[in-house]
Amino acid sequence: MTQQYLLSIYQPDGETPPPEVLDPIMANLAALNEEMQAKGVWVFAVGLHPPSTATVVRAKGDDVLLTDGPFTEGREHIGGFTVIRAADLDEALEWGRRLAGVLSPLAIEVRPIAFG
């Protein structure tokens, strides 16, 4: 039985790299996503807008507080993620290594998804 894993992509705050830097990375990422799809491990992947576009919703008793901006302040944020199916953590970590290689020097966090 396979387990689903979240591969979170951490990136530094700041400007998006210029096209001459970003375009080859995105091409390599598309190729890796296609390989994951062909091997049946890819569930879905998304990129996220900057943390400045976030709204945090927090319930306190009967009140709900809305706060603009990210939940935590930091120098990096989750810029996107991929959900995969893998037989075990070792297989998920191998895909995480591959993703880290494409997106170097960005960090990839690999975490199993808990269902119900």
Side-chain angles (χ1 to χ4, degrees):
M1 182 174 171
T2 60
Q3 165 75 44
Q4 289 188 359
Y5 291 85
L6 177 69
L7 309 180
S8 300
I9 302 163
Y10 286 88
Q11 65 186 59
D13 289 338
E15 297 296 317
T16 301
E20 62 270 12
V21 173
L22 189 58
D23 289 350
I25 293 169
M26 296 308 291
N28 290 336
L29 180 58
L32 181 60
N33 284 339
E34 288 174 14
E35 181 181 348
M36 285 190 232
Q37 290 171 14
K39 295 199 183 250
V41 301
W42 190 87
V43 177
F44 70 95
V46 297
L48 300 173
H49 288 281
S52 61
T53 64
T55 302
V56 177
V57 180
R58 184 184 309 261
K60 189 170 185 176
D62 291 337
D63 294 328
V64 176
L65 177 65
L66 302 177
T67 307
D68 290 337
F71 176 69
T72 60
E73 295 295 324
R75 289 185 226 174
E76 56 183 22
H77 60 276
I78 296 177
F81 59 88
T82 299
V83 174
I84 63 167
R85 288 181 205 89
D88 54 31
L89 179 59
D90 289 337
E91 182 183 355
L93 290 172
E94 181 56 34
W95 287 110
R97 283 185 197 96
R98 301 274 309 277
L99 185 58
V102 166
L103 299 176
S104 178
L106 303 183
I108 307 301
E109 177 183 78
V110 178
R111 187 184 300 189
I113 295 175
F115 290 100

